[in-house]
Amino acid sequence: MVSKMKHILLTSLFLLFAGSFLFAEEQNLTLTLEYEIPDGVDTVFSEDCSLALCVEEIRADGKVLSHFDDIRIIPVCAVGYTAPAGKIGKMKMEWEKIGSNFVWNDGRGILFSENESGFFIPKTNSYMLPIDTKNLEIRYKVLLPTPDIEADSLLKSFPENGCYTPTYFQISKISKKGR
């Protein structure tokens, strides 16, 4: 009898925890950014490969957002490829809800750069968006795969001579639905 009650209690706690986790996931903000796939392109980066998304500017309600140093443990994005399913490609931008903000990292995680004194300073390519934002404007282009791009090099930066799409501009109205 005691064993059965422990099992019920543990199951209830698990479901309570899982339910709050699922609720937290529903609080994230997912944007889909589209781009035109040029003729002759046989392979594109998968839509969840944020390493291929080259963000030039993000504005929240008209205010330019700058990078900030996000010191959380940030998972590094896997590099994935897929065959295009038409002329329009898609990149997903997943903004995680943290407190009263949404946070997006470009998938490179925490990078380290050496300063003049020889110390390695952590930095991230993360943006913070206030949760009460109404309009989000993103200017971006997408890197297309070429044989000379090594997946590991994408974790450091974009290739200078990479093949990029034209720059796109998307305005997204952010509703309170689902928050």
Side-chain angles (χ1 to χ4, degrees):
M1 178 74 171
V2 171
S3 173
K4 190 173 185 176
M5 292 194 52
K6 280 184 183 178
H7 179 71
I8 291 171
L9 178 63
L10 288 174
T11 302
S12 298
L13 287 173
F14 173 76
L15 291 174
L16 179 65
F17 175 73
S20 67
F21 178 73
L22 292 173
F23 181 76
E25 284 296 308
E26 291 176 1
Q27 299 298 312
N28 289 346
L29 173 66
T30 302
L31 300 176
T32 301
L33 306 175
E34 295 184 343
Y35 63 97
E36 188 174 337
I37 299 172
D39 291 334
V41 172
D42 298 332
T43 305
V44 294
F45 289 103
S46 59
E47 65 183 50
D48 61 343
C49 181
S50 60
L51 295 171
L53 181 60
C54 180
V55 173
E56 294 180 355
E57 184 179 70
I58 299 177
R59 290 178 179 260
D61 294 332
K63 181 181 175 190
V64 175
L65 300 180
S66 299
H67 292 103
F68 81 100
D69 291 329
D70 189 354
I71 57 171
R72 301 172 299 127
I73 295 175
I74 303 169
V76 174
C77 179
V79 177
Y81 304 92
T82 188
K87 298 291 290 171
I88 302 297
K90 296 180 180 180
M91 296 299 296
K92 287 201 175 175
M93 195 178 209
E94 183 77 28
W95 293 76
E96 184 179 355
K97 183 179 180 223
I98 300 175
S100 60
N101 296 295
F102 290 113
V103 175
W104 179 75
N105 178 270
D106 70 355
R108 288 177 176 79
I110 299 176
L111 305 170
F112 291 90
S113 58
E114 189 173 0
N115 68 7
E116 308 82 39
S117 304
F119 292 105
F120 286 92
I121 308 297
K123 84 176 200 76
T124 65
N125 295 324
S126 297
Y127 292 90
M128 186 179 302
L129 174 69
I131 200 164
D132 60 351
T133 299
K134 293 174 183 54
N135 292 304
L136 184 63
E137 302 167 24
I138 303 171
R139 195 166 18 140
Y140 64 96
K141 59 186 177 182
V142 177
L143 175 67
L144 299 170
T146 56
D148 61 332
I149 295 176
E150 295 180 21
D152 289 344
S153 68
L154 286 177
L155 293 172
K156 296 178 185 134
S157 67
F158 288 106
E160 287 181 26
N161 58 350
C163 180
Y164 294 92
T165 65
T167 299
Y168 295 91
F169 181 74
Q170 178 172 312
I171 298 176
S172 300
K173 297 229 181 267
I174 301 175
S175 71
K176 294 190 180 200
K177 182 181 176 184
R179 282 198 225 158

